[in-house]
Amino acid sequence: MTTTPKTFLILHGFENHRPAGHWQHWLAGELRARGHEVRYPQLPEPDAPVLDDWLAALDEHGKRPAEGEFVVLAHSLSVLLWLRAGGRRPRADRVLLVAPPSPGVTAGIPEIAAFAEGLDLAEEGVTARLVYGDGDTYCPEGADLHYGTPLGLDLDLVAGGGHLTPDSGFGPWPAVLRWCENPETRITGAE
């Protein structure tokens, strides 16, 4: 069976320098090995991100390919980047939003507080799958409460997933790779 190559844009979060042990780094390698185009940019100043600079990077790397499916995967602070982009968001065929920090937690961290300011959680027309872990210290009330329900997103809860990082057992993440190849796949764990 031949698969049509897709283009994937993978967006990291706060203080992420795309380490080899992170599921996003692993996923980028797996997708490239399958013949897909992968854009996995280092966003500007990840330790002290400036919203306008990250929006400019999204504009630059989010250009839709001339053909084929365009899929976006955003983790943590990049979920807020995606939501804040509003009308600037690239037109994607599928979007996976993973483990966003709560607006309150984000507002309480001076380096990233601007990402929470003006966040429209009643926006209509946001189409995405939200994957979140219970026990996430960056979103203790649950991402479904802050994002999933208000935005009407498709939800996947990962039991015991925390912030869905290598520290919580998410280096290689085959379930996300399967979703990349088949959007019907539910993401419920690291397997």
Side-chain angles (χ1 to χ4, degrees):
M1 178 173 124
T2 308
T3 326
T4 305
K6 300 172 176 74
T7 300
F8 293 90
L9 174 60
I10 301 174
L11 301 167
H12 65 75
F14 177 48
E15 296 181 331
N16 186 320
H17 294 268
R18 302 174 307 153
H22 197 286
W23 65 266
Q24 289 183 314
H25 193 280
W26 171 85
L27 181 65
E30 291 293 316
L31 292 169
R32 284 184 184 114
R34 287 166 169 74
H36 300 294
E37 178 188 342
V38 178
R39 303 172 191 168
Y40 183 30
Q42 178 67 66
L43 297 173
E45 303 296 331
D47 297 321
V50 174
L51 178 60
D52 286 339
D53 294 345
W54 277 33
L55 286 167
L58 181 60
D59 291 342
E60 176 186 347
H61 299 287
K63 291 180 177 35
R64 185 171 178 82
E67 57 185 46
E69 188 178 21
F70 183 47
V71 182
V72 175
L73 298 97
H75 180 252
S76 193
L77 188 61
S78 281
V79 172
L80 275 62
L81 168 68
W82 184 259
L83 295 174
R84 286 293 310 272
R88 291 175 68 168
R89 271 193 292 272
R91 191 172 55 82
D93 296 297
R94 289 191 283 142
V95 178
L96 192 69
L97 304 175
V98 181
S102 73
V105 167
T106 305
I109 301 172
E111 296 87 351
I112 61 173
F115 285 75
E117 295 169 9
L119 191 60
D120 182 2
L121 295 178
E123 181 181 351
E124 294 185 10
V126 176
T127 303
R129 167 97 57 96
L130 175 66
V131 179
Y132 64 104
D134 58 3
D136 185 347
T137 57
Y138 293 99
C139 196
E141 305 88 354
D144 58 333
L145 174 72
H146 289 293
Y147 303 100
T149 301
L151 294 171
L153 303 178
D154 186 15
L155 303 173
D156 283 343
L157 172 63
V158 177
H163 197 53
L164 301 169
T165 63
D167 289 343
S168 52
F170 294 86
W173 196 357
V176 172
L177 177 60
R178 285 192 301 276
W179 176 86
C180 288
E181 295 177 333
N182 176 2
E184 301 303 315
T185 301
R186 302 312 302 189
I187 302 169
T188 58
E191 71 287 336

PDB file of all heavy atoms in Angstrom, residues 115-155:
ATOM      1  N   PHE A 115       1.126  35.144  26.264  1.00  0.00           N
ATOM      2  CA  PHE A 115       0.411  34.145  25.476  1.00  0.00           C
ATOM      3  C   PHE A 115      -1.009  33.927  26.001  1.00  0.00           C
ATOM      4  O   PHE A 115      -1.887  33.499  25.258  1.00  0.00           O
ATOM      5  CB  PHE A 115       1.178  32.818  25.463  1.00  0.00           C
ATOM      6  CG  PHE A 115       2.393  32.828  24.580  1.00  0.00           C
ATOM      7  CD1 PHE A 115       3.552  33.494  24.967  1.00  0.00           C
ATOM      8  CD2 PHE A 115       2.385  32.175  23.358  1.00  0.00           C
ATOM      9  CE1 PHE A 115       4.672  33.505  24.158  1.00  0.00           C
ATOM     10  CE2 PHE A 115       3.508  32.178  22.541  1.00  0.00           C
ATOM     11  CZ  PHE A 115       4.653  32.847  22.937  1.00  0.00           C
ATOM     12  N   ALA A 116      -1.232  34.220  27.281  1.00  0.00           N
ATOM     13  CA  ALA A 116      -2.565  34.047  27.874  1.00  0.00           C
ATOM     14  C   ALA A 116      -3.436  35.282  27.728  1.00  0.00           C
ATOM     15  O   ALA A 116      -4.659  35.186  27.771  1.00  0.00           O
ATOM     16  CB  ALA A 116      -2.428  33.679  29.349  1.00  0.00           C
ATOM     17  N   GLU A 117      -2.813  36.443  27.535  1.00  0.00           N
ATOM     18  CA  GLU A 117      -3.572  37.691  27.432  1.00  0.00           C
ATOM     19  C   GLU A 117      -4.389  37.700  26.137  1.00  0.00           C
ATOM     20  O   GLU A 117      -3.872  37.459  25.058  1.00  0.00           O
ATOM     21  CB  GLU A 117      -2.622  38.893  27.442  1.00  0.00           C
ATOM     22  CG  GLU A 117      -1.882  39.056  28.745  1.00  0.00           C
ATOM     23  CD  GLU A 117      -0.755  40.075  28.658  1.00  0.00           C
ATOM     24  OE1 GLU A 117      -0.640  40.796  27.638  1.00  0.00           O
ATOM     25  OE2 GLU A 117       0.039  40.124  29.614  1.00  0.00           O
ATOM     26  N   GLY A 118      -5.656  37.977  26.267  1.00  0.00           N
ATOM     27  CA  GLY A 118      -6.508  38.069  25.078  1.00  0.00           C
ATOM     28  C   GLY A 118      -6.831  36.739  24.435  1.00  0.00           C
ATOM     29  O   GLY A 118      -7.303  36.700  23.294  1.00  0.00           O
ATOM     30  N   LEU A 119      -6.607  35.647  25.123  1.00  0.00           N
ATOM     31  CA  LEU A 119      -6.901  34.323  24.583  1.00  0.00           C
ATOM     32  C   LEU A 119      -8.410  34.155  24.474  1.00  0.00           C
ATOM     33  O   LEU A 119      -9.130  34.294  25.457  1.00  0.00           O
ATOM     34  CB  LEU A 119      -6.305  33.262  25.508  1.00  0.00           C
ATOM     35  CG  LEU A 119      -6.259  31.829  25.040  1.00  0.00           C
ATOM     36  CD1 LEU A 119      -5.444  31.702  23.756  1.00  0.00           C
ATOM     37  CD2 LEU A 119      -5.636  30.952  26.117  1.00  0.00           C
ATOM     38  N   ASP A 120      -8.910  33.887  23.277  1.00  0.00           N
ATOM     39  CA  ASP A 120     -10.346  33.769  23.041  1.00  0.00           C
ATOM     40  C   ASP A 120     -10.755  32.310  23.156  1.00  0.00           C
ATOM     41  O   ASP A 120     -10.590  31.533  22.216  1.00  0.00           O
ATOM     42  CB  ASP A 120     -10.687  34.325  21.658  1.00  0.00           C
ATOM     43  CG  ASP A 120     -12.176  34.283  21.364  1.00  0.00           C
ATOM     44  OD1 ASP A 120     -12.956  33.852  22.247  1.00  0.00           O
ATOM     45  OD2 ASP A 120     -12.561  34.686  20.251  1.00  0.00           O
ATOM     46  N   LEU A 121     -11.299  31.951  24.302  1.00  0.00           N
ATOM     47  CA  LEU A 121     -11.710  30.562  24.512  1.00  0.00           C
ATOM     48  C   LEU A 121     -13.177  30.335  24.154  1.00  0.00           C
ATOM     49  O   LEU A 121     -13.748  29.306  24.472  1.00  0.00           O
ATOM     50  CB  LEU A 121     -11.409  30.126  25.941  1.00  0.00           C
ATOM     51  CG  LEU A 121      -9.914  30.105  26.253  1.00  0.00           C
ATOM     52  CD1 LEU A 121      -9.663  29.722  27.692  1.00  0.00           C
ATOM     53  CD2 LEU A 121      -9.176  29.164  25.313  1.00  0.00           C
ATOM     54  N   ALA A 122     -13.771  31.306  23.492  1.00  0.00           N
ATOM     55  CA  ALA A 122     -15.129  31.147  22.982  1.00  0.00           C
ATOM     56  C   ALA A 122     -15.119  31.222  21.459  1.00  0.00           C
ATOM     57  O   ALA A 122     -16.173  31.298  20.826  1.00  0.00           O
ATOM     58  CB  ALA A 122     -16.035  32.227  23.567  1.00  0.00           C
ATOM     59  N   GLU A 123     -13.916  31.187  20.870  1.00  0.00           N
ATOM     60  CA  GLU A 123     -13.795  31.286  19.408  1.00  0.00           C
ATOM     61  C   GLU A 123     -14.537  30.130  18.749  1.00  0.00           C
ATOM     62  O   GLU A 123     -14.469  28.992  19.204  1.00  0.00           O
ATOM     63  CB  GLU A 123     -12.316  31.231  19.019  1.00  0.00           C
ATOM     64  CG  GLU A 123     -12.076  31.348  17.541  1.00  0.00           C
ATOM     65  CD  GLU A 123     -10.603  31.272  17.156  1.00  0.00           C
ATOM     66  OE1 GLU A 123      -9.739  31.303  18.049  1.00  0.00           O
ATOM     67  OE2 GLU A 123     -10.344  31.176  15.959  1.00  0.00           O
ATOM     68  N   GLU A 124     -15.207  30.440  17.691  1.00  0.00           N
ATOM     69  CA  GLU A 124     -15.905  29.397  16.946  1.00  0.00           C
ATOM     70  C   GLU A 124     -15.058  28.968  15.755  1.00  0.00           C
ATOM     71  O   GLU A 124     -14.264  29.738  15.239  1.00  0.00           O
ATOM     72  CB  GLU A 124     -17.262  29.916  16.484  1.00  0.00           C
ATOM     73  CG  GLU A 124     -18.194  30.193  17.647  1.00  0.00           C
ATOM     74  CD  GLU A 124     -19.585  30.603  17.204  1.00  0.00           C
ATOM     75  OE1 GLU A 124     -19.893  30.500  16.000  1.00  0.00           O
ATOM     76  OE2 GLU A 124     -20.346  31.021  18.074  1.00  0.00           O
ATOM     77  N   GLY A 125     -15.226  27.735  15.365  1.00  0.00           N
ATOM     78  CA  GLY A 125     -14.554  27.259  14.172  1.00  0.00           C
ATOM     79  C   GLY A 125     -13.161  26.695  14.384  1.00  0.00           C
ATOM     80  O   GLY A 125     -12.452  26.429  13.430  1.00  0.00           O
ATOM     81  N   VAL A 126     -12.740  26.505  15.644  1.00  0.00           N
ATOM     82  CA  VAL A 126     -11.450  25.860  15.895  1.00  0.00           C
ATOM     83  C   VAL A 126     -11.688  24.358  15.785  1.00  0.00           C
ATOM     84  O   VAL A 126     -12.450  23.783  16.559  1.00  0.00           O
ATOM     85  CB  VAL A 126     -10.895  26.211  17.296  1.00  0.00           C
ATOM     86  CG1 VAL A 126      -9.604  25.451  17.560  1.00  0.00           C
ATOM     87  CG2 VAL A 126     -10.683  27.703  17.433  1.00  0.00           C
ATOM     88  N   THR A 127     -11.059  23.750  14.812  1.00  0.00           N
ATOM     89  CA  THR A 127     -11.212  22.312  14.607  1.00  0.00           C
ATOM     90  C   THR A 127      -9.891  21.643  14.930  1.00  0.00           C
ATOM     91  O   THR A 127      -8.882  21.932  14.281  1.00  0.00           O
ATOM     92  CB  THR A 127     -11.608  22.015  13.152  1.00  0.00           C
ATOM     93  OG1 THR A 127     -12.814  22.736  12.854  1.00  0.00           O
ATOM     94  CG2 THR A 127     -11.834  20.539  12.935  1.00  0.00           C
ATOM     95  N   ALA A 128      -9.903  20.798  15.948  1.00  0.00           N
ATOM     96  CA  ALA A 128      -8.675  20.132  16.363  1.00  0.00           C
ATOM     97  C   ALA A 128      -9.014  18.982  17.298  1.00  0.00           C
ATOM     98  O   ALA A 128     -10.119  18.907  17.833  1.00  0.00           O
ATOM     99  CB  ALA A 128      -7.752  21.118  17.077  1.00  0.00           C
ATOM    100  N   ARG A 129      -8.046  18.140  17.496  1.00  0.00           N
ATOM    101  CA  ARG A 129      -8.117  17.110  18.534  1.00  0.00           C
ATOM    102  C   ARG A 129      -7.239  17.603  19.671  1.00  0.00           C
ATOM    103  O   ARG A 129      -6.099  18.018  19.454  1.00  0.00           O
ATOM    104  CB  ARG A 129      -7.588  15.791  17.983  1.00  0.00           C
ATOM    105  CG  ARG A 129      -7.314  14.694  18.995  1.00  0.00           C
ATOM    106  CD  ARG A 129      -8.432  13.682  19.156  1.00  0.00           C
ATOM    107  NE  ARG A 129      -8.825  13.015  17.950  1.00  0.00           N
ATOM    108  CZ  ARG A 129      -8.387  11.817  17.555  1.00  0.00           C
ATOM    109  NH1 ARG A 129      -7.503  11.159  18.264  1.00  0.00           N
ATOM    110  NH2 ARG A 129      -8.849  11.284  16.440  1.00  0.00           N
ATOM    111  N   LEU A 130      -7.768  17.577  20.886  1.00  0.00           N
ATOM    112  CA  LEU A 130      -7.021  17.953  22.079  1.00  0.00           C
ATOM    113  C   LEU A 130      -6.648  16.688  22.828  1.00  0.00           C
ATOM    114  O   LEU A 130      -7.518  15.883  23.178  1.00  0.00           O
ATOM    115  CB  LEU A 130      -7.868  18.861  22.975  1.00  0.00           C
ATOM    116  CG  LEU A 130      -7.259  19.231  24.328  1.00  0.00           C
ATOM    117  CD1 LEU A 130      -6.015  20.086  24.154  1.00  0.00           C
ATOM    118  CD2 LEU A 130      -8.295  19.957  25.191  1.00  0.00           C
ATOM    119  N   VAL A 131      -5.341  16.517  23.048  1.00  0.00           N
ATOM    120  CA  VAL A 131      -4.844  15.392  23.831  1.00  0.00           C
ATOM    121  C   VAL A 131      -4.250  15.970  25.105  1.00  0.00           C
ATOM    122  O   VAL A 131      -3.418  16.883  25.050  1.00  0.00           O
ATOM    123  CB  VAL A 131      -3.761  14.603  23.056  1.00  0.00           C
ATOM    124  CG1 VAL A 131      -3.228  13.457  23.894  1.00  0.00           C
ATOM    125  CG2 VAL A 131      -4.321  14.090  21.735  1.00  0.00           C
ATOM    126  N   TYR A 132      -4.689  15.449  26.236  1.00  0.00           N
ATOM    127  CA  TYR A 132      -4.209  15.985  27.505  1.00  0.00           C
ATOM    128  C   TYR A 132      -4.083  14.858  28.522  1.00  0.00           C
ATOM    129  O   TYR A 132      -4.741  13.828  28.414  1.00  0.00           O
ATOM    130  CB  TYR A 132      -5.156  17.081  28.020  1.00  0.00           C
ATOM    131  CG  TYR A 132      -6.544  16.585  28.359  1.00  0.00           C
ATOM    132  CD1 TYR A 132      -6.925  16.400  29.686  1.00  0.00           C
ATOM    133  CD2 TYR A 132      -7.467  16.284  27.360  1.00  0.00           C
ATOM    134  CE1 TYR A 132      -8.196  15.939  30.007  1.00  0.00           C
ATOM    135  CE2 TYR A 132      -8.723  15.833  27.668  1.00  0.00           C
ATOM    136  CZ  TYR A 132      -9.090  15.650  28.987  1.00  0.00           C
ATOM    137  OH  TYR A 132     -10.341  15.183  29.309  1.00  0.00           O
ATOM    138  N   GLY A 133      -3.200  15.067  29.484  1.00  0.00           N
ATOM    139  CA  GLY A 133      -3.002  14.073  30.526  1.00  0.00           C
ATOM    140  C   GLY A 133      -3.618  14.537  31.829  1.00  0.00           C
ATOM    141  O   GLY A 133      -3.658  15.730  32.113  1.00  0.00           O
ATOM    142  N   ASP A 134      -4.091  13.583  32.613  1.00  0.00           N
ATOM    143  CA  ASP A 134      -4.513  13.985  33.940  1.00  0.00           C
ATOM    144  C   ASP A 134      -3.259  14.101  34.809  1.00  0.00           C
ATOM    145  O   ASP A 134      -2.216  13.538  34.504  1.00  0.00           O
ATOM    146  CB  ASP A 134      -5.566  13.051  34.533  1.00  0.00           C
ATOM    147  CG  ASP A 134      -5.129  11.604  34.633  1.00  0.00           C
ATOM    148  OD1 ASP A 134      -3.971  11.294  34.303  1.00  0.00           O
ATOM    149  OD2 ASP A 134      -5.944  10.773  35.044  1.00  0.00           O
ATOM    150  N   GLY A 135      -3.358  14.921  35.832  1.00  0.00           N
ATOM    151  CA  GLY A 135      -2.201  15.162  36.689  1.00  0.00           C
ATOM    152  C   GLY A 135      -1.189  16.109  36.074  1.00  0.00           C
ATOM    153  O   GLY A 135      -0.027  16.126  36.473  1.00  0.00           O
ATOM    154  N   ASP A 136      -1.606  16.932  35.116  1.00  0.00           N
ATOM    155  CA  ASP A 136      -0.701  17.890  34.474  1.00  0.00           C
ATOM    156  C   ASP A 136      -0.549  19.105  35.390  1.00  0.00           C
ATOM    157  O   ASP A 136      -1.505  19.857  35.590  1.00  0.00           O
ATOM    158  CB  ASP A 136      -1.266  18.308  33.117  1.00  0.00           C
ATOM    159  CG  ASP A 136      -0.340  19.213  32.321  1.00  0.00           C
ATOM    160  OD1 ASP A 136       0.648  19.732  32.881  1.00  0.00           O
ATOM    161  OD2 ASP A 136      -0.618  19.413  31.119  1.00  0.00           O
ATOM    162  N   THR A 137       0.638  19.309  35.932  1.00  0.00           N
ATOM    163  CA  THR A 137       0.861  20.430  36.846  1.00  0.00           C
ATOM    164  C   THR A 137       0.737  21.777  36.143  1.00  0.00           C
ATOM    165  O   THR A 137       0.515  22.788  36.804  1.00  0.00           O
ATOM    166  CB  THR A 137       2.248  20.337  37.521  1.00  0.00           C
ATOM    167  OG1 THR A 137       3.251  20.276  36.503  1.00  0.00           O
ATOM    168  CG2 THR A 137       2.347  19.095  38.395  1.00  0.00           C
ATOM    169  N   TYR A 138       0.849  21.797  34.826  1.00  0.00           N
ATOM    170  CA  TYR A 138       0.695  23.050  34.081  1.00  0.00           C
ATOM    171  C   TYR A 138      -0.769  23.336  33.728  1.00  0.00           C
ATOM    172  O   TYR A 138      -1.082  24.431  33.246  1.00  0.00           O
ATOM    173  CB  TYR A 138       1.547  23.044  32.807  1.00  0.00           C
ATOM    174  CG  TYR A 138       3.021  23.046  33.127  1.00  0.00           C
ATOM    175  CD1 TYR A 138       3.751  21.867  33.110  1.00  0.00           C
ATOM    176  CD2 TYR A 138       3.668  24.219  33.485  1.00  0.00           C
ATOM    177  CE1 TYR A 138       5.097  21.858  33.426  1.00  0.00           C
ATOM    178  CE2 TYR A 138       5.017  24.220  33.810  1.00  0.00           C
ATOM    179  CZ  TYR A 138       5.724  23.037  33.772  1.00  0.00           C
ATOM    180  OH  TYR A 138       7.053  23.023  34.097  1.00  0.00           O
ATOM    181  N   CYS A 139      -1.626  22.368  33.959  1.00  0.00           N
ATOM    182  CA  CYS A 139      -3.058  22.560  33.718  1.00  0.00           C
ATOM    183  C   CYS A 139      -3.818  21.689  34.726  1.00  0.00           C
ATOM    184  O   CYS A 139      -4.479  20.717  34.356  1.00  0.00           O
ATOM    185  CB  CYS A 139      -3.419  22.193  32.283  1.00  0.00           C
ATOM    186  SG  CYS A 139      -5.037  22.824  31.783  1.00  0.00           S
ATOM    187  N   PRO A 140      -3.693  22.027  36.019  1.00  0.00           N
ATOM    188  CA  PRO A 140      -4.216  21.139  37.063  1.00  0.00           C
ATOM    189  C   PRO A 140      -5.725  20.908  37.011  1.00  0.00           C
ATOM    190  O   PRO A 140      -6.199  19.847  37.417  1.00  0.00           O
ATOM    191  CB  PRO A 140      -3.808  21.829  38.371  1.00  0.00           C
ATOM    192  CG  PRO A 140      -3.422  23.216  38.012  1.00  0.00           C
ATOM    193  CD  PRO A 140      -3.032  23.209  36.562  1.00  0.00           C
ATOM    194  N   GLU A 141      -6.487  21.861  36.486  1.00  0.00           N
ATOM    195  CA  GLU A 141      -7.941  21.692  36.424  1.00  0.00           C
ATOM    196  C   GLU A 141      -8.350  20.801  35.270  1.00  0.00           C
ATOM    197  O   GLU A 141      -9.496  20.363  35.199  1.00  0.00           O
ATOM    198  CB  GLU A 141      -8.640  23.050  36.278  1.00  0.00           C
ATOM    199  CG  GLU A 141      -8.276  24.059  37.340  1.00  0.00           C
ATOM    200  CD  GLU A 141      -7.027  24.876  36.973  1.00  0.00           C
ATOM    201  OE1 GLU A 141      -6.380  24.589  35.939  1.00  0.00           O
ATOM    202  OE2 GLU A 141      -6.681  25.786  37.742  1.00  0.00           O
ATOM    203  N   GLY A 142      -7.451  20.590  34.327  1.00  0.00           N
ATOM    204  CA  GLY A 142      -7.740  19.760  33.161  1.00  0.00           C
ATOM    205  C   GLY A 142      -7.935  20.591  31.911  1.00  0.00           C
ATOM    206  O   GLY A 142      -8.681  21.573  31.903  1.00  0.00           O
ATOM    207  N   ALA A 143      -7.252  20.213  30.856  1.00  0.00           N
ATOM    208  CA  ALA A 143      -7.327  20.942  29.589  1.00  0.00           C
ATOM    209  C   ALA A 143      -8.718  20.848  28.970  1.00  0.00           C
ATOM    210  O   ALA A 143      -9.118  21.728  28.208  1.00  0.00           O
ATOM    211  CB  ALA A 143      -6.277  20.432  28.614  1.00  0.00           C
ATOM    212  N   ASP A 144      -9.464  19.805  29.306  1.00  0.00           N
ATOM    213  CA  ASP A 144     -10.838  19.718  28.793  1.00  0.00           C
ATOM    214  C   ASP A 144     -11.676  20.874  29.323  1.00  0.00           C
ATOM    215  O   ASP A 144     -12.463  21.472  28.591  1.00  0.00           O
ATOM    216  CB  ASP A 144     -11.465  18.369  29.146  1.00  0.00           C
ATOM    217  CG  ASP A 144     -11.491  18.077  30.645  1.00  0.00           C
ATOM    218  OD1 ASP A 144     -10.632  18.606  31.403  1.00  0.00           O
ATOM    219  OD2 ASP A 144     -12.360  17.293  31.071  1.00  0.00           O
ATOM    220  N   LEU A 145     -11.483  21.240  30.579  1.00  0.00           N
ATOM    221  CA  LEU A 145     -12.233  22.336  31.192  1.00  0.00           C
ATOM    222  C   LEU A 145     -11.896  23.679  30.548  1.00  0.00           C
ATOM    223  O   LEU A 145     -12.791  24.453  30.202  1.00  0.00           O
ATOM    224  CB  LEU A 145     -11.926  22.393  32.696  1.00  0.00           C
ATOM    225  CG  LEU A 145     -12.528  23.574  33.451  1.00  0.00           C
ATOM    226  CD1 LEU A 145     -14.032  23.404  33.601  1.00  0.00           C
ATOM    227  CD2 LEU A 145     -11.882  23.711  34.816  1.00  0.00           C
ATOM    228  N   HIS A 146     -10.591  23.945  30.355  1.00  0.00           N
ATOM    229  CA  HIS A 146     -10.168  25.247  29.831  1.00  0.00           C
ATOM    230  C   HIS A 146     -10.300  25.373  28.320  1.00  0.00           C
ATOM    231  O   HIS A 146     -10.579  26.461  27.817  1.00  0.00           O
ATOM    232  CB  HIS A 146      -8.715  25.538  30.224  1.00  0.00           C
ATOM    233  CG  HIS A 146      -8.555  25.825  31.678  1.00  0.00           C
ATOM    234  ND1 HIS A 146      -9.083  26.936  32.271  1.00  0.00           N
ATOM    235  CD2 HIS A 146      -7.932  25.121  32.645  1.00  0.00           C
ATOM    236  CE1 HIS A 146      -8.795  26.928  33.556  1.00  0.00           C
ATOM    237  NE2 HIS A 146      -8.100  25.839  33.806  1.00  0.00           N
ATOM    238  N   TYR A 147     -10.053  24.283  27.600  1.00  0.00           N
ATOM    239  CA  TYR A 147      -9.976  24.361  26.144  1.00  0.00           C
ATOM    240  C   TYR A 147     -10.994  23.462  25.440  1.00  0.00           C
ATOM    241  O   TYR A 147     -11.696  23.903  24.542  1.00  0.00           O
ATOM    242  CB  TYR A 147      -8.566  24.006  25.668  1.00  0.00           C
ATOM    243  CG  TYR A 147      -7.513  24.884  26.280  1.00  0.00           C
ATOM    244  CD1 TYR A 147      -6.750  24.451  27.365  1.00  0.00           C
ATOM    245  CD2 TYR A 147      -7.294  26.168  25.798  1.00  0.00           C
ATOM    246  CE1 TYR A 147      -5.804  25.282  27.946  1.00  0.00           C
ATOM    247  CE2 TYR A 147      -6.352  27.002  26.381  1.00  0.00           C
ATOM    248  CZ  TYR A 147      -5.606  26.547  27.454  1.00  0.00           C
ATOM    249  OH  TYR A 147      -4.675  27.375  28.023  1.00  0.00           O
ATOM    250  N   GLY A 148     -11.021  22.206  25.820  1.00  0.00           N
ATOM    251  CA  GLY A 148     -11.844  21.228  25.120  1.00  0.00           C
ATOM    252  C   GLY A 148     -13.311  21.565  25.071  1.00  0.00           C
ATOM    253  O   GLY A 148     -13.921  21.653  24.005  1.00  0.00           O
ATOM    254  N   THR A 149     -13.913  21.778  26.243  1.00  0.00           N
ATOM    255  CA  THR A 149     -15.342  22.072  26.302  1.00  0.00           C
ATOM    256  C   THR A 149     -15.673  23.440  25.716  1.00  0.00           C
ATOM    257  O   THR A 149     -16.554  23.536  24.856  1.00  0.00           O
ATOM    258  CB  THR A 149     -15.850  21.936  27.751  1.00  0.00           C
ATOM    259  OG1 THR A 149     -15.584  20.585  28.196  1.00  0.00           O
ATOM    260  CG2 THR A 149     -17.334  22.222  27.842  1.00  0.00           C
ATOM    261  N   PRO A 150     -14.970  24.522  26.116  1.00  0.00           N
ATOM    262  CA  PRO A 150     -15.333  25.830  25.552  1.00  0.00           C
ATOM    263  C   PRO A 150     -15.179  25.911  24.036  1.00  0.00           C
ATOM    264  O   PRO A 150     -15.969  26.581  23.374  1.00  0.00           O
ATOM    265  CB  PRO A 150     -14.369  26.800  26.234  1.00  0.00           C
ATOM    266  CG  PRO A 150     -13.877  26.108  27.442  1.00  0.00           C
ATOM    267  CD  PRO A 150     -13.951  24.640  27.146  1.00  0.00           C
ATOM    268  N   LEU A 151     -14.168  25.231  23.485  1.00  0.00           N
ATOM    269  CA  LEU A 151     -13.928  25.308  22.043  1.00  0.00           C
ATOM    270  C   LEU A 151     -14.605  24.183  21.265  1.00  0.00           C
ATOM    271  O   LEU A 151     -14.537  24.140  20.037  1.00  0.00           O
ATOM    272  CB  LEU A 151     -12.421  25.305  21.763  1.00  0.00           C
ATOM    273  CG  LEU A 151     -11.668  26.535  22.269  1.00  0.00           C
ATOM    274  CD1 LEU A 151     -10.161  26.332  22.150  1.00  0.00           C
ATOM    275  CD2 LEU A 151     -12.102  27.777  21.517  1.00  0.00           C
ATOM    276  N   GLY A 152     -15.218  23.245  21.983  1.00  0.00           N
ATOM    277  CA  GLY A 152     -15.892  22.134  21.322  1.00  0.00           C
ATOM    278  C   GLY A 152     -14.940  21.198  20.601  1.00  0.00           C
ATOM    279  O   GLY A 152     -15.251  20.692  19.529  1.00  0.00           O
ATOM    280  N   LEU A 153     -13.769  20.952  21.203  1.00  0.00           N
ATOM    281  CA  LEU A 153     -12.747  20.120  20.565  1.00  0.00           C
ATOM    282  C   LEU A 153     -12.999  18.639  20.799  1.00  0.00           C
ATOM    283  O   LEU A 153     -13.595  18.236  21.802  1.00  0.00           O
ATOM    284  CB  LEU A 153     -11.362  20.488  21.117  1.00  0.00           C
ATOM    285  CG  LEU A 153     -10.940  21.944  20.971  1.00  0.00           C
ATOM    286  CD1 LEU A 153      -9.572  22.157  21.610  1.00  0.00           C
ATOM    287  CD2 LEU A 153     -10.930  22.371  19.520  1.00  0.00           C
ATOM    288  N   ASP A 154     -12.518  17.823  19.889  1.00  0.00           N
ATOM    289  CA  ASP A 154     -12.476  16.380  20.047  1.00  0.00           C
ATOM    290  C   ASP A 154     -11.420  16.100  21.124  1.00  0.00           C
ATOM    291  O   ASP A 154     -10.327  16.687  21.097  1.00  0.00           O
ATOM    292  CB  ASP A 154     -12.081  15.763  18.698  1.00  0.00           C
ATOM    293  CG  ASP A 154     -12.140  14.264  18.679  1.00  0.00           C
ATOM    294  OD1 ASP A 154     -12.737  13.651  19.593  1.00  0.00           O
ATOM    295  OD2 ASP A 154     -11.577  13.673  17.732  1.00  0.00           O
ATOM    296  N   LEU A 155     -11.707  15.223  22.087  1.00  0.00           N
ATOM    297  CA  LEU A 155     -10.831  15.042  23.250  1.00  0.00           C
ATOM    298  C   LEU A 155     -10.290  13.628  23.371  1.00  0.00           C
ATOM    299  O   LEU A 155     -11.028  12.660  23.188  1.00  0.00           O
ATOM    300  CB  LEU A 155     -11.590  15.357  24.539  1.00  0.00           C
ATOM    301  CG  LEU A 155     -12.221  16.732  24.681  1.00  0.00           C
ATOM    302  CD1 LEU A 155     -13.071  16.799  25.932  1.00  0.00           C
ATOM    303  CD2 LEU A 155     -11.143  17.793  24.711  1.00  0.00           C
TER     304      LEU A 155
END
